[in-house]
């Protein structure tokens, strides 16, 4: 068990490492780190070793998902976050962990997806965990399709289950699914 205001890296080089979660002015009220159990399940699905993988964590928030990928050997991890207070926290965590494969960037998730889509698809794992009340899930899923390479994965965390029909219409198929409390965790692959 760990204290409120902390997240624990579940596996890899930084396994069991407790990291602080930003709070206070400038931090969004709905900040919701992905639960340990859900992260553990996700990385069990993907395999423990992400050596050579290129990952993007959109709406990085606490950085729990992206830092978990880096801990498991990902070749590169982009932590993208819109809120300045969280970007500062992510940069501090990158320094604390001496995470040379991690890049922290402030920006808008949809704009970055469109930017990445102008390049050949090269992302092995795209992590999409926006606030549950976000109204841009569908545009993000559509914009993400040309970013993820064939055989790659998109992790979608949402406040509801996305149907196979909805996902197929946006270019995705469900590979795995888990409901844990209010979290609906989907692991998708390109159609």
């Amino acid at each position: 068990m760990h204290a409120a205001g902390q997240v624990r890296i579940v596996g890899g080089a930084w396994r069991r490492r407790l990291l602080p979660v930003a709070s206070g002015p400038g931090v969004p009220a709905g900040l919701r780190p992905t639960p340990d159990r859900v992260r553990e399940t996700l990385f069990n699905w993907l395999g423990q070793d992400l050596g050579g993988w290129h990952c993007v964590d959109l709406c990085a928030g606490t950085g729990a998902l992206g830092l978990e990928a880096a801990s498991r050997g990902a070749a590169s991890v982009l932590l993208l976050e819109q809120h300045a207070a969280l970007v500062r926290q992510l940069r501090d965590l990158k320094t604390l962990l001496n995470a040379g494969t991690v890049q922290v960037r402030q920006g808008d998730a949809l704009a970055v997806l469109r930017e990445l889509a102008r390049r050949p698809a090269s992302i092995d794992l795209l992590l999409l965990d926006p606030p549950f009340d976000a109204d841009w899930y569908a545009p993000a899923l559509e914009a993400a399709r040309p970013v993820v390479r064939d055989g790659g994965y998109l992790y979608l965390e949402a406040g509801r289950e996305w149907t196979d029909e909805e996902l197929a219409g946006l270019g995705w198929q469900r590979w795995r699914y888990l409901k844990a409390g209010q979290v609906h965790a989907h692991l998708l692959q390109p159609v």
Side-chain angles (χ1 to χ4, degrees), residues 59-159:
C59 309
T62 65
L65 288 168
L67 291 172
E68 192 77 50
S71 180
R72 293 165 189 262
S76 69
V77 177
L78 170 61
L79 300 177
L80 180 74
E81 178 53 52
Q82 168 176 2
H83 297 91
L86 294 176
V87 170
R88 283 190 299 278
Q89 171 84 38
L90 292 170
R91 288 185 176 138
D92 290 346
L93 290 175
K94 174 187 166 146
T95 301
L96 176 71
L97 295 169
N98 194 25
T101 61
V102 173
Q103 175 189 1
V104 178
R105 182 171 162 192
Q106 185 171 3
D108 175 76
L110 285 175
V112 169
L113 281 174
R114 290 184 189 112
E115 173 189 320
L116 292 171
R118 291 192 290 269
R119 306 175 195 161
S122 63
I123 301 302
D124 298 290
L125 176 61
L126 184 66
L127 301 156
L128 180 59
D129 177 17
F132 284 169
D133 62 355
D135 62 356
W136 51 269
Y137 275 93
L141 287 167
E142 190 171 29
R145 177 54 198 98
V147 171
V148 176
R149 68 166 182 79
D150 289 340
Y153 299 94
L154 184 146
Y155 170 73
L156 171 66
E157 190 169 309

Side-chain angles (χ1 to χ4, degrees), residues 50-67:
L50 301 187
W53 287 38
H54 299 281
C55 308
V56 175
D57 186 354
L58 298 171
C59 309
T62 65
L65 288 168
L67 291 172

Side-chain angles (χ1 to χ4, degrees), residues 25-54:
V27 175
L31 185 63
R32 172 194 38 77
T34 299
D36 291 1
R37 175 182 167 224
V38 173
R39 278 185 286 118
E40 186 170 17
T41 299
L42 169 63
F43 288 95
N44 284 338
W45 290 339
L46 294 169
Q48 298 300 314
D49 181 7
L50 301 187
W53 287 38
H54 299 281

Side-chain angles (χ1 to χ4, degrees), residues 140-191:
L141 287 167
E142 190 171 29
R145 177 54 198 98
V147 171
V148 176
R149 68 166 182 79
D150 289 340
Y153 299 94
L154 184 146
Y155 170 73
L156 171 66
E157 190 169 309
R160 70 171 180 90
E161 181 177 1
W162 281 69
T163 67
D164 292 338
E165 295 77 22
E166 288 175 302
L167 295 168
L170 297 167
W172 298 98
Q173 60 188 351
R174 185 189 324 211
W175 192 64
R176 296 277 193 271
Y177 170 77
L178 166 74
K179 182 178 185 314
Q182 305 235 338
V183 173
H184 293 265
H186 311 72
L187 188 58
L188 312 176
Q189 288 196 293
V191 172

